[in-house]
Amino acid sequence: MGSGKTTLTNIIHEKCFPEFTKYYLDDVDELNNIVGASDKYYIVFDDFSYKVTGRRKEDQVKLNKIFRVRHILGTDNIVLVFVVHYLRSLAVFLRSSQVRILTSITEPEINMYSNDYLFTISTLWDYLHYFTNHKDRYIVLYHGIRSGEHILDVTLTRRGKRKEKKDLD
């Protein structure tokens, strides 16, 4: 919480896709409610990993619907944004995405993200180092299908120092 996921989603819409109509959807089935509402869609599925684990049959149906989104909405002018908290359940789906942005990281997560081939292990370690040493900045790890991996400082305003996570041991 508080790593800037929603803020970043809004900035990307505002700066890169202002002519696209933004929709926040809670469920894939809500796509039916916006058919024909626009010719350019910027669709955000917030907290998506809580809703789809990928293990149940109904989750597979929902994921399949996402793959058919162009046909459902009748346009190729679609930007899909998935705000997820737990990548494990969606790693296979996310590997095929054109852009991935990581807004926070802890040391135990490094192996998970590298094992699922979402990011390279060396870049994850670099990101962890930069992220933990610049707690007053919004630091993200960006992976673009054409541009590779980059650590980006997307701070627009100074933020207060992040609280340290407490160990549960």
Side-chain angles (χ1 to χ4, degrees):
M1 289 175 35
S3 64
K5 297 176 296 295
T6 302
T7 300
L8 185 59
T9 298
N10 290 331
I11 290 169
I12 291 170
H13 175 256
E14 189 179 298
K15 300 293 183 188
C16 302
F17 302 98
E19 71 280 8
F20 283 55
T21 305
K22 182 171 46 175
Y23 297 93
Y24 280 92
L25 302 183
D26 287 325
D27 192 274
V28 177
D29 293 330
E30 292 180 19
L31 286 170
N32 296 330
N33 299 336
I34 63 171
V35 172
S38 177
D39 60 339
K40 295 180 179 180
Y41 296 87
Y42 185 90
I43 301 171
V44 179
F45 291 99
D46 205 356
D47 292 341
F48 193 71
S49 53
Y50 291 122
K51 296 172 180 75
V52 178
T53 65
R55 295 184 189 102
R56 300 174 303 198
K57 185 174 182 176
E58 64 244 28
D59 293 345
Q60 293 302 317
V61 170
K62 289 177 188 260
L63 290 173
N64 187 35
K65 196 169 198 175
I66 291 169
F67 289 121
R68 296 182 301 108
V69 69
R70 288 190 339 259
H71 304 292
I72 294 168
L73 296 177
T75 182
D76 287 334
N77 296 317
I78 303 168
V79 175
L80 293 177
V81 178
F82 298 93
V83 177
V84 296
H85 293 259
Y86 300 108
L87 261 358
R88 180 63 78 195
S89 61
L90 300 171
V92 174
F93 175 68
L94 292 174
R95 277 197 301 266
S96 66
S97 67
Q98 294 177 336
V99 174
R100 294 184 286 276
I101 300 173
L102 192 61
T103 59
S104 66
I105 193 166
T106 60
E107 189 172 333
E109 294 171 314
I110 288 178
N111 284 333
M112 180 179 70
Y113 296 137
S114 65
N115 288 342
D116 288 330
Y117 306 106
L118 297 172
F119 300 95
T120 61
I121 197 158
S122 62
T123 304
L124 287 166
W125 280 109
D126 290 345
Y127 176 58
L128 175 65
H129 175 73
Y130 201 90
F131 181 80
T132 55
N133 288 315
H134 296 86
K135 294 193 180 298
D136 61 333
R137 313 285 299 167
Y138 286 107
I139 309 299
V140 300
L141 177 56
Y142 170 90
H143 174 93
I145 196 164
R146 293 193 176 113
S147 60
E149 296 177 344
H150 305 281
I151 298 170
L152 304 173
D153 184 337
V154 294
T155 307
L156 296 177
T157 59
R158 300 293 282 179
R159 69 186 281 178
K161 202 145 179 98
R162 288 187 207 125
K163 294 179 182 178
E164 294 294 327
K165 293 183 181 178
K166 294 180 181 178
D167 290 332
L168 299 177
D169 294 333

